[in-house]
Amino acid sequence: MSGCSDRIVPLAVKIVVSGGLGVGKTTFIRAISEIEPLSTEAAMTEASLGVDSLDGVESKTTTTVALDFGRITLDPSIALYLFGTPGQARFAFLWDDLMAGALGTVVLADTRRIGESSFAVDHFESKGLPFVLAVNRFDGAERHSTGQVRDALRLSDSVPVLECDARDRGSVRDVLGTLMDRVIGARADSGPDSRTAALVR
């Protein structure tokens, strides 16, 4: 007869969700989280005028000022804890704290403001943290191929680039699955360890 000792305790995996201002990080986490997400949204004020560019997202009235947090159990063995970063480069000092202990990153991009994602891409490339680039599909935005986005951000062929709808749970789950494949591959390339073994058990 099975007892409590037979229950699988999910491996906790920390994932960072990043990208520029207004790219959909809060929406991305809300769409997938199985718990009520923690959000630190605050109203944008006149103090941000001339500091935070709203070109292309003029209707945005709130912004994340510390982090977003959510959780999703991918399967009985893996639970992802999602930490969303503030989008403004001036809050980048918080990013390294949020990255501590993370195994990978989703960088969201908006083709209307593709340059806003360059800072996040450069930051995570410099840290050597595995990441995927997810192009968020906004209504009315001009569509570009993933190859065009890759070229615009000068991404290497090893970085997965895919489209997503941050409002759609299935689309977000696909992005996270792609990231986990990259994380497992990157850790396998660097040599087996107990955490890699746990990820693929």
Side-chain angles (χ1 to χ4, degrees):
M1 184 172 67
S2 298
C4 292
S5 61
D6 296 325
R7 294 178 60 187
I8 297 175
V9 178
L11 175 71
V13 177
K14 183 178 181 181
I15 298 298
V16 173
V17 179
S18 192
L21 178 67
V23 79
K25 299 178 293 297
T26 301
T27 302
F28 184 96
I29 291 174
R30 283 193 174 279
I32 196 70
S33 182
E34 62 197 14
I35 63 173
E36 180 63 28
L38 168 67
S39 180
T40 56
E41 289 273 291
M44 300 192 74
T45 66
E46 291 184 1
S48 66
L49 294 177
V51 178
D52 301 325
S53 172
L54 295 179
D55 292 343
V57 289
E58 290 84 359
S59 62
K60 186 172 178 61
T61 58
T62 62
T63 185
T64 298
V65 294
L67 77 151
D68 294 310
F69 173 78
R71 184 189 72 205
I72 175 65
T73 303
L74 282 186
D75 63 43
S77 65
I78 301 176
L80 302 187
Y81 289 80
L82 308 175
F83 291 78
T85 70
Q88 300 95 316
R90 61 192 171 97
F91 289 135
F93 66 93
L94 294 172
W95 291 16
D96 289 342
D97 289 339
L98 292 175
M99 286 169 57
L103 293 190
T105 303
V106 173
V107 176
L108 285 170
D110 178 354
T111 56
R112 300 170 302 177
R113 294 157 54 86
I114 197 66
E116 289 290 309
S117 297
S118 296
F119 179 81
V121 166
D122 292 344
H123 189 83
F124 292 111
E125 280 186 333
S126 71
K127 301 297 182 180
L129 197 65
F131 71 94
V132 301
L133 187 93
V135 181
N136 194 7
R137 295 192 295 261
F138 285 91
D139 294 337
E142 185 178 354
R143 298 291 290 271
H144 297 275
S145 70
T146 54
Q148 289 173 316
V149 173
R150 182 186 300 280
D151 290 344
L153 292 174
R154 300 180 181 178
L155 291 171
S156 71
D157 292 338
S158 64
V159 177
V161 179
L162 60 162
E163 289 191 328
C164 80
D165 183 339
R167 301 165 298 184
D168 181 77
R169 181 180 177 85
S171 183
V172 171
R173 189 181 180 93
D174 288 345
V175 171
L176 293 173
T178 299
L179 175 62
M180 290 309 298
D181 288 343
R182 178 157 170 74
V183 167
I184 292 169
R187 296 187 73 84
D189 289 344
S190 64
D193 59 25
S194 60
R195 181 164 293 186
T196 299
L199 283 173
V200 297
R201 71 170 180 253

